[in-house]
Amino acid sequence: MPQDELDQVIDYIQGNLFDPMPLERLAKHISYSPSHFARLFKERTGLTPLYYVSSLRLSRAKDLLLKTEYTIRDISLEIGQQSLGTFTTRFTQRVGLTPSEFRQSRSAVGDQARRLQALDSWDDPTIQASSSPVWSEVSGFVEPVLPFDGFVLIGLFAKPIPEGMPIHGTLLPRPGAFRFTGVRPGTYYLMGTTLSWAMGAMDMLLPQTTLRTRARSPIEVGPSSPAPFQHALLYEPRPDDPPILISLPLLMNQFLSRMRG
């Protein structure tokens, strides 16, 4: 799908996000057949059109939780989810916190950032050699396109979108080398983002303008041998990037917990 046509569809989705969004309507917007449109959209974004739409709606729910006084039920209805229970379950699975926990987490973000900045060492104790004959490792190097004063969150995910807890994840005090050990054979997606020390809590909870990296191809890990070395370029957000759904302060807090031992 040409870039300008993809941009047209994404602009249309974002401008009509709370309207019904069947596949046929999206395809018709640029005069494609539904099947052809769906195939090309997934090739470009890594996601099906409807999964992309649902991801943007959950991202908008995060905004509403922090920027409005709407009840959780009202937010559920606003994004087109009639069942409060279903909304809560999906939000929790993909963000890592319940809607209520996410709304309340803003107060702790500043303290987490200060504790990270005070660390003497960022050597993650979970990253160590494994004696299992079938486990492998994924290593690489993170390089930004722009300088920034902050840290990197990077992980291996089960889907081509940063949602839910990463199967393997860590924080780096600056761009540079990373390594995940004890990786079981399977298919993984490498994704990451940056947070600067000067950011406020709202920007850390709603990372819409942060540098990010997203491997276009999955990483296939086989038994007993390292995966190919990964060169991860941290770039400015692009229209076809999926939203960052996982709560980054949750990952920060878990990293701090591991560092305390």
Side-chain angles (χ1 to χ4, degrees), residues 44-91:
R44 291 294 300 274
T45 67
L47 305 172
T48 67
L50 299 187
Y51 201 91
Y52 182 86
V53 169
S54 73
S55 300
L56 287 184
R57 287 174 175 166
L58 279 179
S59 182
R60 191 68 60 87
K62 292 170 63 178
D63 278 59
L64 294 172
L65 283 164
L66 295 183
K67 297 179 179 178
T68 74
E69 298 298 322
Y70 293 172
T71 67
I72 294 174
R73 179 175 292 279
D74 285 343
I75 292 173
S76 172
L77 294 172
E78 182 76 10
I79 69 166
Q81 183 57 253
Q82 299 297 318
S83 166
L84 177 60
T86 300
F87 166 69
T88 299
T89 297
R90 289 179 178 171
F91 188 98

Side-chain angles (χ1 to χ4, degrees), residues 12-23:
Y12 175 78
I13 290 172
Q14 293 178 341
N16 302 272
L17 189 57
F18 298 144
D19 295 343
M21 204 75 67
L23 179 62

Side-chain angles (χ1 to χ4, degrees), residues 145-253:
V145 297
L146 297 172
F148 71 98
D149 181 23
F151 57 99
V152 179
L153 304 95
I154 191 162
L156 299 176
F157 291 81
K159 296 179 181 178
I161 176 174
E163 67 173 25
M165 296 304 298
I167 301 170
H168 295 270
T170 194
L171 275 60
L172 307 174
R174 65 190 65 83
F178 68 89
R179 183 169 69 105
F180 298 116
T181 59
V183 181
R184 295 181 181 275
T187 301
Y188 302 89
Y189 296 88
L190 178 69
M191 282 171 284
T193 191
T194 63
L195 292 179
S196 72
W197 297 119
M199 275 183 173
M202 188 74 78
D203 290 329
M204 290 189 178
L205 285 162
L206 303 173
Q208 297 167 346
T209 60
T210 58
L211 299 179
R212 60 203 58 200
T213 187
R214 174 167 69 100
R216 293 288 173 170
S217 301
I219 300 172
E220 301 292 344
V221 176
S224 309
S225 60
F229 189 83
Q230 304 294 311
H231 182 253
L233 188 66
L234 290 160
Y235 56 83
E236 294 181 283
R238 300 166 180 161
D240 59 351
D241 286 327
I244 298 173
L245 291 182
I246 181 64
S247 170
L248 299 183
L250 173 62
L251 300 181
M252 293 159 59
N253 190 55

